[in-house]
Amino acid sequence: MGLALILAAGLALAAPAVFAQTMPDVACGPGAEAGLPPELAAWAAKSPLPAATSVTDLPKAVLAPGQAYVAALSPTPDVTYAVQPEKPGGTVSKGGLFSLKVETAGAYVIALGAGAWIDVLKDGAVQRSTAHGRGPACSTVRKMVTFDLTPGDYLIQISANAQAELPIMVARKP
């Protein structure tokens, strides 16, 4: 009885390894962007954009809906946020500010290539997100946060990012 139990336990431990070897390879290749929704189609073609470090520099850091960017962020101590971010990050983290002009009311998703914190402000008031989650599997989108926005000018604050570069895109959802 003891030998049968040992053999059964050994098979149970070996089974996952055998199963994993027979499964098709679903690993995503570098730069794979499979499964992106149509509104994020431009994610693969990013333009460089330096983030502002204060609201006075915002005219140089404009996010256009439907366009993807690789944002150059600054060390957190160098950024003067309009409102203290909910998750400011530490002194070694990176952040920045962007302006966004919304022409048409609707649900807008902000997609990021990392897990940075996003604050969206309109007239100094923080806008609450309506949904958040990870990007599609096999894409470089790591975080997606949705906001219901009305026409007007917005300030997007990015904080608590580990890297100095951040892929970012704002897109109106259909």
Side-chain angles (χ1 to χ4, degrees):
M1 185 92 137
L3 182 58
L5 185 58
I6 292 171
L7 287 175
L11 288 175
L13 291 174
V18 171
F19 181 73
Q21 291 172 355
T22 60
M23 290 295 295
D25 184 11
V26 293
C28 303
E33 297 301 342
L36 286 177
E39 63 269 21
L40 295 180
W43 182 258
K46 298 173 193 73
S47 300
L49 180 66
T53 56
S54 69
V55 293
T56 58
D57 295 332
L58 281 175
K60 300 175 190 172
V62 179
L63 295 174
Q67 171 64 50
Y69 302 93
V70 176
L73 304 178
S74 296
T76 298
D78 297 344
V79 180
T80 304
Y81 291 102
V83 172
Q84 178 69 18
E86 190 171 330
K87 305 261 176 151
T91 58
V92 297
S93 69
K94 310 292 187 275
L97 308 173
F98 300 93
S99 65
L100 171 69
K101 184 170 192 69
V102 171
E103 300 286 342
T104 305
Y108 287 80
V109 63
I110 300 176
L112 300 178
W117 187 259
I118 306 168
D119 287 310
V120 176
L121 294 89
K122 183 176 184 187
D123 299 325
V126 175
Q127 308 298 296
R128 293 289 164 211
S129 64
T130 57
H132 63 279
R134 293 191 51 80
C138 292
S139 80
T140 57
V141 176
R142 296 292 169 252
K143 183 175 188 175
M144 295 172 53
V145 183
T146 303
F147 297 86
D148 286 334
L149 304 178
T150 57
D153 295 320
Y154 290 84
L155 169 64
I156 297 177
Q157 298 187 148
I158 300 293
S159 59
N161 198 54
Q163 304 298 319
E165 286 191 344
L166 175 68
I168 184 171
M169 181 176 182
V170 178
R172 187 170 181 268
K173 294 180 88 171

